[in-house]
Amino acid sequence: MIVEVLRAGRGVTIQDQGRAGLIAQGLSRGGAVDRLALLEVEALLKRRVSVIELAGAGASFRIGQGCQIALTGAPRKANADGNPLRWNASHNLAAGSVLTITAGQGYAYVAFDAALGRPEVIGSQSAHLKGGIGGHLEQCELHFIDARTGTSDLLDVVDRTAGGNVRFMAGPQTDAFGEEALAAFTSQTFTKSARSNRQGAGLDGTVALDASQLSRVSDFITEGDIQITGNGAPFVLLAECQTIGGYPRIGTVLPCDIPIVAQAKPGAELRFELVSTDEAEALWQSDVQQVAALRSKISPLLRDPATMNDLLSYQLVSGFIRGDEEWL
Amino acid sequence: MNTPRIFPQGVDGLLVRFGDVLDDETNARALQFAEVAAGLGGVLEAAGGLTSVYVRFDPVVGRASVEQTVSAALANEGQAEAQPSRLWKVPCCFAGDYAPQLAEAAELAGVTPGVAVTELCAEPVRVMAIGFAPGQPYLGLLPDHWNIPRQTNLTAEVPQGALTVAVRQLVLFANPSPTGWRQVGRTGFRCFDMDRPEAFALKPGDLMQFDAVSAVEFQSLLNAPMGGAVLS
């Protein structure tokens, strides 16, 4: 199957699980920024495939063959040949359909139920922009094998673009902040800054630093670390984080809460709650466990919007949906 | 010798810290233990840094079990042994736009720019850690008077191959990047290149010696393999 990329804004990349195991070489894992969205794709399509990540940007594609697709992550407006497509769902698109996804906030994901035929670089097809592997997707033809059709399903997803409570655990430098600074950090409401990319999410707010914390020996950084930069503004590191750095880290956001930080819209409020290492371990779930849990939240899409014209005249799913909100 | 301390580093990781101050012995211990840690049960990867080792493990195995294994290995820590090192000779331009902060860095180190260049090229520096970006080396240690602070305000971007200095170390940038380190030179060295058989050029313990070249020579070396760097 050939998928023509008709249009792709800056920030559209191929992603997968990334490249784990290269910290000694200075390369962070990378892969999809919102790993939950990747698992949602896996739950909807019933297999693991490479996805297209739309970081802020929009894109359109012409699908060469009938194929199931999944749309997950930050909700966007999507349509197939002008017919709206529900987000957090899978759909069957006919051969020749043009799939259009609008630009918007956060990280949106489009996946085709097919295997992308693209060479792996060090075990992954994903672009690692900071690391200099791959790049932004441009007009091109993507070649897939083993394209499949399937069911049109809806995944029940709690919105994670509005900010909220973020749990973190202590790390090697937490104690250096002292109780007062830690209390000030956990009692403060931060807002998501527009200074965010695949490397990290900037927050507006200030954490007091003393001079000694700015002269530390550079040390390891991992995804989820909350780094306090020279001017006191926190930065939560994401998939393409640096592997070593000099700025102090107050702790590490739990993997299950990283999507809340990554997907929070600019201006969304975020508060941090310190949990013990034991709690963090208890909250951890393997990909297999997460996908199984997601599978239980899937229900059939009663009507496939791609086949519905004059959409607002339909009464959808028991009639409690206005019809003008769910599609946005 | 400091007793190593173990800290959590994320839900699937821990950090073994051998000291709070960077010196050759602490760095050698960290690099040596990284090799040991990589082979321990339940460990998925280990990386040696300046003064610490990062260990990533399978959370299914559990932190308690991995910490126990790591502690037992630390109890048998051997004397850090000097490893045979490779020497890279790397042409570097310390002039004009290629060295935008040389004068400022030299002043902080209390020497003239000319003396600074002589000092930075006089002795080989050792790769003490690879990190921040793919294949990017932290090199040291420079003499004491190079213990100059990082800038409080970041430079918006240094180019690929930039040679920067702070806290008795040099960092040779793998990719264009913002940084708090001051750029004192520019090389054509590519720390990471997927098209090479060995994508990552350097490994910890390698030595690197800089050779001052003119801007004209530097330009002519830009397209040479490894920017004219020679490995012996």
Side-chain angles (χ1 to χ4, degrees):
Chain A
M1 175 180 73
I2 289 174
V3 171
E4 267 179 86
V5 180
L6 303 173
R7 190 177 56 80
R10 195 173 166 77
V12 178
T13 56
I14 305 279
Q15 293 300 333
D16 56 19
Q17 300 275 339
R19 301 168 181 83
L22 294 166
I23 301 298
Q25 271 75 38
L27 185 65
S28 50
R29 180 177 57 187
V33 163
D34 182 350
R35 288 174 56 79
L36 177 57
L38 206 56
L39 300 179
E40 289 167 347
V41 163
E42 190 174 335
L44 282 164
L45 299 184
K46 305 180 190 77
R47 64 167 158 168
R48 186 169 279 197
V49 294
S50 291
V51 302
I52 297 171
E53 179 180 276
L54 289 76
S60 61
F61 308 91
R62 184 181 288 117
I63 287 94
Q65 176 182 332
C67 179
Q68 189 185 25
I69 65 157
L71 303 169
T72 68
R76 301 277 181 83
K77 288 182 194 173
N79 73 73
D81 296 330
N83 298 309
L85 295 174
R86 191 102 175 220
W87 205 260
N88 291 313
S90 60
H91 307 276
N92 281 303
L93 300 190
S97 310
V98 173
L99 169 65
T100 303
I101 294 139
T102 58
Q105 304 289 354
Y107 297 89
Y109 295 86
V110 185
F112 301 97
D113 191 355
L116 178 60
R118 203 178 166 92
E120 291 189 342
V121 176
I122 327 179
S124 164
Q125 295 179 328
S126 64
H128 193 303
L129 301 176
K130 279 279 162 189
I133 300 174
H136 300 271
L137 201 59
E138 293 171 344
Q139 275 189 8
C140 67
E141 285 186 350
L142 296 173
H143 293 253
F144 289 86
I145 54 167
D146 190 23
R148 299 178 194 173
T149 54
T151 48
S152 295
D153 292 327
L154 187 63
L155 177 65
D156 183 21
V157 168
V158 178
D159 175 60
R160 52 180 180 271
T161 63
N165 197 45
V166 176
R167 289 162 295 187
F168 75 105
M169 60 185 279
Q173 301 174 0
T174 305
D175 285 348
F177 281 82
E179 274 179 39
E180 208 172 302
L182 198 56
F185 177 70
T186 53
S187 61
Q188 199 174 148
T189 300
F190 294 92
T191 54
K192 179 77 175 288
S193 154
R195 294 172 291 108
S196 300
N197 55 32
R198 288 181 42 81
Q199 184 181 16
L203 305 180
D204 289 322
T206 303
V207 180
L209 285 178
D210 61 58
S212 69
Q213 284 174 293
L214 291 173
S215 57
R216 305 188 140 271
V217 179
S218 300
D219 211 341
F220 288 103
I221 296 185
T222 57
E223 192 176 341
D225 273 11
I226 308 159
Q227 171 182 260
I228 312 299
T229 51
N231 61 7
F235 217 78
V236 177
L237 292 154
L238 301 176
E240 286 188 7
C241 68
Q242 62 274 40
T243 62
I244 290 182
Y247 286 124
R249 268 89 63 188
I250 201 162
T252 309
V253 174
L254 305 193
C256 52
D257 287 356
I258 287 177
I260 297 171
V261 181
Q263 295 285 25
K265 292 173 186 162
E269 296 186 342
L270 294 159
R271 286 167 302 279
F272 290 89
E273 179 198 344
L274 182 62
V275 300
S276 71
T277 306
D278 286 345
E279 280 176 83
E281 196 167 44
L283 286 164
W284 181 85
Q285 288 190 311
S286 70
D287 287 357
V288 172
Q289 287 171 309
Q290 290 183 71
V291 170
L294 290 167
R295 292 283 311 151
S296 72
K297 294 178 180 172
I298 287 176
S299 55
L301 244 186
L302 296 184
R303 292 178 200 273
D304 187 346
T307 66
M308 295 159 74
N309 294 314
D310 189 18
L311 193 68
L312 294 180
S313 68
Y314 285 86
Q315 194 179 40
L316 298 165
V317 196
S318 314
F320 55 73
I321 287 170
R322 286 205 313 270
D324 60 345
E325 55 183 5
E326 292 288 315
W327 316 94
L328 304 180
Chain B
M1 276 206 320
N2 289 316
T3 306
R5 285 168 297 160
I6 301 176
F7 300 90
Q9 173 64 65
V11 72
D12 62 349
L14 56 84
L15 190 88
V16 184
R17 192 184 286 155
F18 290 85
D20 294 317
V21 177
L22 175 60
D23 55 40
D24 288 324
E25 189 206 345
T26 306
N27 178 239
R29 288 176 75 192
L31 295 181
Q32 178 164 296
F33 188 69
E35 310 255 324
V36 174
L40 298 176
V43 170
L44 299 177
E45 70 173 313
L50 294 171
T51 59
S52 65
V53 172
Y54 169 65
V55 173
R56 186 170 61 87
F57 57 83
D58 182 351
V60 171
V61 175
R63 177 176 304 277
S65 159
V66 174
E67 273 195 17
Q68 213 165 32
T69 311
V70 167
S71 297
L74 284 168
N76 294 320
E77 186 193 356
Q79 192 71 31
E81 286 166 29
Q83 302 292 325
S85 16
R86 308 185 298 173
L87 174 65
W88 294 87
K89 293 216 170 187
V90 182
C92 182
C93 182
F94 293 93
D97 291 347
Y98 297 121
Q101 293 167 300
L102 174 64
E104 187 184 324
E107 191 180 341
L108 287 165
V111 294
T112 65
V115 170
V117 172
T118 307
E119 288 184 351
L120 297 177
C121 297
E123 298 285 335
V125 278
R126 199 166 51 83
V127 177
M128 305 185 89
I130 298 282
F132 186 84
Q136 181 167 308
Y138 286 73
L139 301 154
L141 281 171
L142 296 173
D144 264 337
H145 60 275
W146 282 101
N147 193 15
I148 67 172
R150 305 175 182 91
Q151 309 172 96
T152 29
N153 290 320
L154 297 183
T155 304
E157 186 174 285
V158 294
Q160 183 177 64
L163 186 67
T164 64
V165 65
V167 290
R168 293 186 67 193
Q169 297 158 68
L170 295 164
V171 164
L172 201 171
F173 275 80
N175 288 318
S177 175
T179 183
W181 294 48
R182 290 179 174 84
Q183 188 186 348
V184 295
R186 173 95 187 266
T187 73
F189 194 81
R190 295 285 299 273
C191 301
F192 171 63
D193 184 349
M194 287 169 305
D195 298 330
R196 287 193 306 246
E198 286 205 51
F200 303 92
L202 301 168
K203 37 188 194 198
D206 281 1
L207 295 171
M208 211 175 224
Q209 185 157 25
F210 298 100
D211 180 20
V213 297
S214 69
V216 174
E217 282 174 280
F218 175 75
Q219 281 293 346
S220 70
L221 288 169
L222 261 185
N223 292 321
M226 301 303 292
V230 178
L231 176 63
S232 57

